[in-house]
Structures are given as structure tokens and as C-alpha cells.
Amino acid sequence: MCGIVGYIGPKPVVPVIVEGLRRLEYRGYDSAGIAVAGNSAGLELRRAPGKLVNLEAVIAANPISGTFGIGHTRWATHGRPTEENAHPHRDCTGSLVVVHNGIVENYLALKHELTARGHIFVTETDTEIIAHLIEQELADAAKNGKQNNGRHSERSEEPPHFANDATNIPLEEAVRRTVHRLTGAFAIGVLSAHEPNKLVAARMGPPAVIGLGDGEFFLASDVPGILHHTRNIHFLADGELAVLTPHGVTLTDFDGHPLHLKIQRIQWDPIQAEKAGYKHFMLKEINEQPRAIRDTTLGRISLDTGKVFLDNLQITEQEFKQATQISIAACGTSWHAGLAGKFMIERLARLPVDVDYASEYRYRDPISDPAAIGLLITQSGETADTIAAQRELIAKGSKTLAICNVVGSAVTREAQGTITTNAGPEIGVASTKAFTAQLTALFVLALHLAQVRGTITADQSLRLVDELSKVPSKVEDVLRSVDLQCQELAKVFHTANDFLFLGRGIHYPIALEGALKLKEISYIHAEGYPAGEMKHGPNALIDETLPVVTIATKDPNDPSSVLKYEKTLSNIQEVTARSGRVIAIAIEGDEEIKHLVEHTIQIPQAPELLLPILEVVPLQLLAYHIAVRRGCDVDQPRNLAKSVTVE
Ligand code: F6R
């Protein structure tokens, strides 16, 4: 989604903002713009459709400078991705600008009202109305101020834009009055040429962070945009408004009541948000998975006792014991993790689990028992649908737990506890390391639930914890052994029009994830199916052009896993009998499967519930290499955004 960077400080403003926007490119965007003020030229604006290089070219051709400014990368919602629709947007005077992430739902009604009052709109966007609303608030305040001074305003009939420089309320007060009029979701940054060295920011919905440096202050829509300048971050909460000046940051609610900044020290290393020699962030992040998994178990498992520790939860062991259900809500890849988590929790803790698309949850009037525990799975912690599902769960009386990669994000603030996935910042739009870290966190949670509910023995715990600790090095083995093979497979299959991904049981969510990775970055149509469903319809698709990626792994020590594997072999034969081209994911040493299929990718053996973490790695690499061969923008696929902060 849109990126915002604002800066006040001694450094040259334009490079700080442009560099910040570059570091937020992963969020996805289709135009960019910047406004700076504070020098004799007044407020200056540069915008361009397309990527940041276009904006840089515009700035190079027509340089600007100032002492404070804001920039924006726009992911189009209202209006096409053109130069005029790019942010920042101006009021009628051109002396006040707004950048915005989110959607103003009542913008049409507001636009009619403002048009009737003389405002002239020059764009198709919802954002522009915010600039005009602020302008109007300033004008109204100026007018009332004059009337209160006993001078009947001769200018009261003048168009509002002539009154902007005669304000008698500060910019932040006008912003406060404005946000009360907006419905929908917004994170905004506002500056006015009439109030030098001041940035105003407000949030209701989409994320925004304030960075506190040494004599310099930042606004951004996400931490990586400013992390190379400061690690001291205040995550703006819904209903908060911040005023940034060269002397510091003041915080209030939307009614002007003072609030305290809650500064968090971000531990992420800024280097983690760089490509580190890899061609793409996605490839780097795929290769970071061993560390992400290891860090997600760190301090949470004891290899001596098999015990699992989940700290800082406001959900007691008693509540876990008495829980009637776990209600999972998540989106996209995180939803796939939730589906796999259902198998882990139900099998180990014998506790029923429901998994919903967060975007559907609140609209189905869910029947939820207050003794059910809500579980939100989200990489960003800022996904609008997931936040809405969490609020629905809370409204139904449930406690909520988050599995999240961003400490301090919206979901974690509202949850009664968070299991942090310590994957580090994920920049590639297609989620990889966050997914395997989520699977790891879910396994840890399933073990914890099983231990407090007494559904597994100490010996079983010990064995599973030991197996979990071996997963990072097994993922390292997979990365080493399958990358070349995935490159070769990409050579063969990158021209396919469709792909099928099949799996059974806990492997089915991994089939879904393999299909999602492929479609989002290579734009090849792909579907994931439970292997046993093929004969109920999808078999009709099979012909000699269709690659069918089938997850056919097993834990030889687990009879139910072996049974599923045997059923999957039958499904493979149904595909090959119809000339479908099978790529099987199988465990090392499985010679039988090699005779049945065209291609086999082997992964190390592991317990059934941990196999998904290993299986997904070749699927990520296959999608990656196919997308690269097709010349796709791997890190920023078309039409997608990293953090989906609108419904
Ligand atoms: C796909 C992907 C998305 C996200 C989804 C939820 O690769 O990244 O499907 O998983 O938008 O995002 P979070 O996990 O941030 O809530």
C-alpha cells in the first residue's frame, strides 16, 4: 500500500524523503510525489507516474529544496495512477498539502459540500478533499476569529482559499477538526507553507510511525522507511495526532487531549532491509528462513525438558486449558499458515480449530463462544481485514492472541498476547520467511496448548521439541540441494499457462501456498487442490500441457502420514494416466515415487506436522525462478501491495 515519508531536520530534505520512499517501495505503488517548504520559493511540489526513478528525473530537471517536507508513493484506489492523481494533494491556495494512505469513504458527499462552498478540485482522488477540508477549517476559524473581534468580515463571502493566510487556529487544530469529518481509513501527513517547520500526522486505520532522531524527526508509513536514520519509533495508534517540529514531537488524541509517546527501540538491523548481494529481496528472504525459524523458537523451547514457554501473555494456562475452540482469522499466505496450524493444534492439543478468511469473518455473523480464543496470524499486523476480524472476536467476548512479525503493530496492540515471529523485516511482497516463521510459531503454540491441556506425554514433547530444533538445518539442506533443480524446472515449465498444486491433510495448505506464490509473482494461473478432490472435477483440466506439483511426503514413523502418502500416490497415477506432468515433492530415499513421475524434488524426512516448513521451500524457489525467467518484477508484482491496509 501507499508509502509515506516526512522529515524535519538539518539534513537535505529531498534525499532523505526519496531514499525513505525507496525503502518503502516493497509496499507497492504506481506513482510518487514530494512536497517541500521552508525556503523562499514557498511550497514546491514534484510528482510523477510510475516508479521513483521518474520522480527523481522530474526533480533533477527541476530541483527543489526546503527545511521540511513529505513524500508519498501511491497505490491507486480512487483515480488512475497519473501525475495529477499522485500525492501530495493541494488545497485551493497551493500552500497546504496532504499525503494519505487509506480510503475516505464519504469523500463524494464531502466533495459536493466543498464544491458548493467554492472549492475547486483538480484530481479524481479521495485524498484531495482532505486538503480542502483543512483549508475550509482554517478559513472558518479565521472568519469566526474576525467576527469575534468585533470586525464584521468583509471577506466572509470570499472563496475560502483567500482566507488561508489569516488563520487564527494552528494547523493541527484544523487537522483535528477535519479528521472528525472523515469516515473510512486514513494515515495522513500534512504541511502548510504558512506554518514553517511543522508536520502534522494523524492515523485511523492504516499504519504510521513517528521516528525520533537527534534533532530530527520523521514520519513514515512503515519502519524500514526511516530505520537507517533512527531506531526510536512511536507507532501511531488509531485516533492519535502528532505534531513534528524541529524541537520535538507532541502527541494528542483527535480531541486535543495530550498523550505520551511510547517509544520502542526497534531491534531490526537496517542491513536486514537491504538486498545483501541477492538479485531480489524475495531470494534473500527465502535464504534467510533457517535463521527466521531458529529465531522464532529461541527462548521458547527447552531441549532438556521438552517444555514450551510463551511469555508475556495475558491469557493464563487455565484459560488455555478451558478454551473450547481456537478461532483463527488471517489473509492470504497467513491464512494458509492458519490452515496448517489447524492440523497442528487439533492433532497435538485435541482442541477444535476454525480457520476463517479475515475478510469474511465479521460478515458471517460468527457464532463465537467467549471461551474460544481468537488467533490472528499476520506478518504486518496492519492488515485491515485482520484488524476487523480481531475486533469482531473481541466484541464477541474472546481473548485474542496474535502471531505477528511486527512488534507494536495494530494487531499486537489489541491482542492479549503475541507470539512474535522473529523473521526480521520482510520486504518482498510475496511472503516467504514470514510464512515459515508463522508455521514455526504455530507449532510452538500447538505444543504449548498440548502441554497445558495434558494431551501429550513428556516423552512426546521432548521428541517434538528436538525435531523442531533440527528444522533450521534441514531447511539449509533444502536450500542447498534444490535450488539448481528448481532453476532447471523453471526452464522447462516457465511457458505453461496453468499449474495445479496438490496435497492432502496438512500438505494441502502448502499446495495452496505454492499456487499463490506462483500466481502472484509469475502471473501464471495456478490452483491448489486437496489431492482427493481431483476426481470430483479438476481431473477434467489434465492434459499433457498441465504441470501438476504434488506434495507426496511422508513420515515413515507415523501410520496416518503413510496412509495419506499412499492415497496421494494413487492420485498421482490418476494424473499421469491422463498425461499430466507431475513434479513430486517427496522425502529423501523415496525410490518408489521416482518411477511414477517425471520430476522429483527431495526434502529431508521430518515428523508429519513439521514437513510443511520443508515442503514450501522448493515451491517458493520454483515460483521465484519461473518469475525471473518470465521477466516479472519479483519483489513488486503488479497490482499487489505488501501491507493491505484497506478493506
Ligand atoms: C502473499 C502475501 C499476502 C499476505 C496477506 C496478509 O505472498 O504476502 O497474501 O499474506 O496480504 O498479510 P499479513 O500477513 O501482513 O496480514
Side-chain angles (χ1 to χ4, degrees):
M1 297 268 114
C2 310
I4 294 174
V5 177
Y7 178 68
I8 290 188
K11 296 186 182 126
V13 174
V14 175
V16 170
I17 291 177
V18 172
E19 180 52 27
L21 291 176
R22 187 180 320 291
R23 290 170 194 257
L24 295 179
E25 277 191 306
Y26 65 90
R27 293 172 64 84
Y29 70 104
D30 34 43
S31 60
I34 183 170
V36 294
N39 68 12
S40 53
L43 191 150
E44 292 188 287
L45 199 75
R46 300 288 181 269
R47 301 183 299 198
K51 294 288 176 187
L52 269 178
V53 285
N54 299 351
L55 176 65
E56 286 177 294
V58 169
I59 296 171
N62 205 350
I64 46 173
S65 65
T67 55
F68 64 116
I70 42 182
H72 188 267
T73 44
R74 171 174 184 252
W75 190 76
T77 56
H78 294 62
R80 290 156 297 129
T82 58
E83 196 253 315
E84 313 77 66
N85 287 337
H87 300 212
H89 288 297
R90 285 167 286 199
D91 66 346
C92 294
T93 67
S95 60
L96 180 153
V97 291
V98 173
V99 294
H100 167 222
N101 183 3
I103 292 178
V104 179
E105 286 165 359
N106 58 339
Y107 89 105
L108 270 179
L110 292 169
K111 194 167 182 174
H112 289 145
E113 175 193 318
L114 289 162
T115 306
R117 297 191 73 178
H119 290 260
I120 314 270
F121 289 86
V122 294
T123 77
E124 300 163 316
T125 66
D126 53 340
T127 302
E128 193 186 0
I129 66 112
I130 303 175
H132 290 272
L133 273 177
I134 298 169
E135 177 190 17
Q136 188 63 54
E137 291 295 349
L138 291 167
D140 288 347
K143 193 171 108 187
N144 292 339
K146 280 183 193 163
Q147 282 167 350
N148 291 345
N149 286 340
R151 290 174 13 222
H152 181 72
S153 174
E154 285 162 18
R155 287 163 63 183
S156 60
E157 296 310 314
E158 286 174 351
H161 45 281
F162 292 135
N164 193 353
D165 55 357
T167 178
N168 65 356
I169 56 168
L171 180 62
E172 57 270 32
E173 181 53 30
V175 175
R176 249 178 233 124
R177 294 179 190 183
T178 295
V179 293
H180 280 298
R181 304 223 44 214
L182 306 177
T183 58
F186 53 85
I188 56 174
V190 185
L191 65 82
S192 163
H194 298 297
E195 294 198 50
N197 294 319
K198 181 188 279 185
L199 287 180
V200 180
R203 173 187 179 168
M204 182 57 75
V209 298
I210 307 293
L212 296 100
D214 192 6
E216 55 181 1
F217 301 94
F218 305 83
L219 163 67
S221 45
D222 203 355
V223 175
I226 54 177
L227 191 58
H228 50 300
H229 294 291
T230 179
R231 289 170 178 233
N232 296 327
I233 303 287
H234 171 80
F235 287 80
L236 218 56
D238 280 350
E240 285 185 354
L241 183 143
V243 180
L244 287 69
T245 71
H247 312 293
V249 177
T250 54
L251 191 70
T252 65
D253 63 17
F254 285 177
D255 294 322
H257 300 117
L259 297 170
H260 288 296
L261 289 167
K262 290 189 194 124
I263 297 166
Q264 306 210 19
R265 183 118 181 112
I266 299 295
Q267 298 304 338
W268 292 349
D269 183 341
I271 302 299
Q272 285 183 299
E274 310 278 344
K275 276 193 209 151
Y278 285 94
K279 195 165 167 205
H280 296 100
F281 278 112
M282 183 180 176
L283 187 59
K284 172 178 174 258
E285 288 159 5
I286 289 172
N287 280 282
E288 283 173 345
Q289 292 181 106
R291 190 199 50 73
I293 296 162
R294 198 172 285 123
D295 288 357
T296 300
T297 62
L298 225 58
R300 292 187 172 135
I301 55 173
S302 160
L303 287 170
D304 293 334
T305 62
K307 282 294 258 179
V308 166
F309 311 97
L310 294 179
D311 293 335
N312 300 323
L313 304 185
Q314 291 156 31
I315 303 176
T316 61
E317 291 207 348
Q318 197 58 21
E319 283 169 316
F320 277 130
K321 216 172 183 165
Q322 288 169 353
T324 50
Q325 187 181 353
I326 302 288
S327 301
I328 296 180
C331 301
T333 288
S334 299
W335 180 73
H336 297 156
L339 289 179
K342 173 181 168 74
F343 286 90
M344 296 174 184
I345 295 168
E346 289 191 343
R347 175 125 187 223
L348 295 180
R350 308 306 300 154
L351 181 60
V353 179
D354 256 6
V355 188
D356 271 82
Y357 281 120
S359 55
E360 293 285 328
Y361 186 72
R362 73 178 139 155
Y363 297 114
R364 74 168 171 86
D365 192 14
I367 301 165
S368 183
D369 179 347
I373 292 172
L375 176 59
L376 294 311
I377 307 173
T378 167
Q379 182 277 129
S380 61
E382 300 289 355
T383 302
D385 289 322
T386 308
I387 296 170
Q390 180 178 32
R391 290 182 183 156
E392 181 71 31
L393 279 156
I394 293 169
K396 299 252 161 161
S398 290
K399 287 204 162 177
T400 65
L401 183 64
I403 291 182
C404 186
N405 202 38
V406 183
V407 182
S409 59
V411 167
T412 65
R413 280 201 303 268
E414 294 190 24
Q416 276 73 47
T418 299
I419 306 176
T420 314
T421 46
N422 297 320
E426 189 176 67
I427 308 291
V429 163
S431 186
T432 53
K433 63 176 179 172
F435 178 65
T436 43
Q438 287 168 348
L439 293 176
T440 306
L442 282 159
F443 188 80
V444 169
L445 173 63
L447 270 177
H448 182 67
L449 286 166
Q451 289 174 358
V452 299
R453 295 167 69 85
T455 50
I456 53 172
T457 63
D459 277 357
Q460 285 168 324
S461 281
L462 209 52
R463 191 180 77 80
L464 287 172
V465 162
D466 181 54
E467 288 288 353
L468 177 60
S469 73
K470 292 179 185 153
V471 170
S473 65
K474 289 185 183 178
V475 172
E476 269 161 23
D477 291 346
V478 178
L479 288 165
R480 254 194 311 272
S481 62
V482 308
D483 188 50
L484 257 182
Q485 198 185 357
C486 290
Q487 288 185 41
E488 290 301 317
L489 287 169
K491 235 187 247 173
V492 179
F493 290 109
H494 72 281
T495 53
N497 291 322
D498 305 280
F499 263 75
L500 269 185
F501 288 76
L502 306 181
R504 279 177 173 267
I506 196 169
H507 315 292
Y508 163 55
I510 304 307
L512 288 175
E513 176 60 9
L516 179 62
K517 285 292 87 88
L518 186 67
K519 62 188 144 190
E520 68 184 330
I521 62 168
S522 76
Y523 317 144
I524 294 177
H525 168 245
E527 288 195 57
Y529 254 97
E533 271 295 298
M534 289 296 289
K535 53 191 173 297
H536 301 294
N539 268 350
L541 294 172
I542 299 171
D543 64 17
E544 64 289 349
T545 66
L546 185 74
V548 183
V549 180
T550 309
I551 302 170
T553 54
K554 66 177 168 193
D555 173 1
N557 305 314
D558 177 344
S560 72
S561 168
V562 174
L563 180 66
K564 275 196 289 282
Y565 165 77
E566 282 163 0
K567 302 281 176 204
T568 305
L569 288 193
S570 307
N571 301 133
I572 286 178
Q573 276 157 333
E574 288 158 18
V575 175
T576 53
R578 289 162 182 82
S579 309
R581 307 184 63 184
V582 176
I583 303 162
I585 312 291
I587 59 160
E588 283 162 4
D590 184 346
E591 295 303 318
E592 188 184 355
I593 202 161
K594 286 191 187 160
H595 303 299
L596 292 181
V597 303
E598 200 176 323
H599 303 279
T600 311
I601 300 177
Q602 296 202 323
I603 60 167
Q605 193 182 315
E608 173 82 348
L609 298 179
L610 289 170
L611 277 170
I613 303 178
L614 307 174
E615 291 160 358
V616 76
V617 177
L619 304 189
Q620 296 165 341
L621 285 168
L622 186 63
Y624 172 78
H625 289 300
I626 288 177
V628 170
R629 278 209 160 255
R630 289 166 70 94
C632 297
D633 189 347
V634 172
D635 284 334
Q636 292 165 47
R638 67 185 180 203
N639 308 335
L640 296 182
K642 182 67 187 161
S643 169
V644 185
T645 52
V646 294
E647 252 198 81

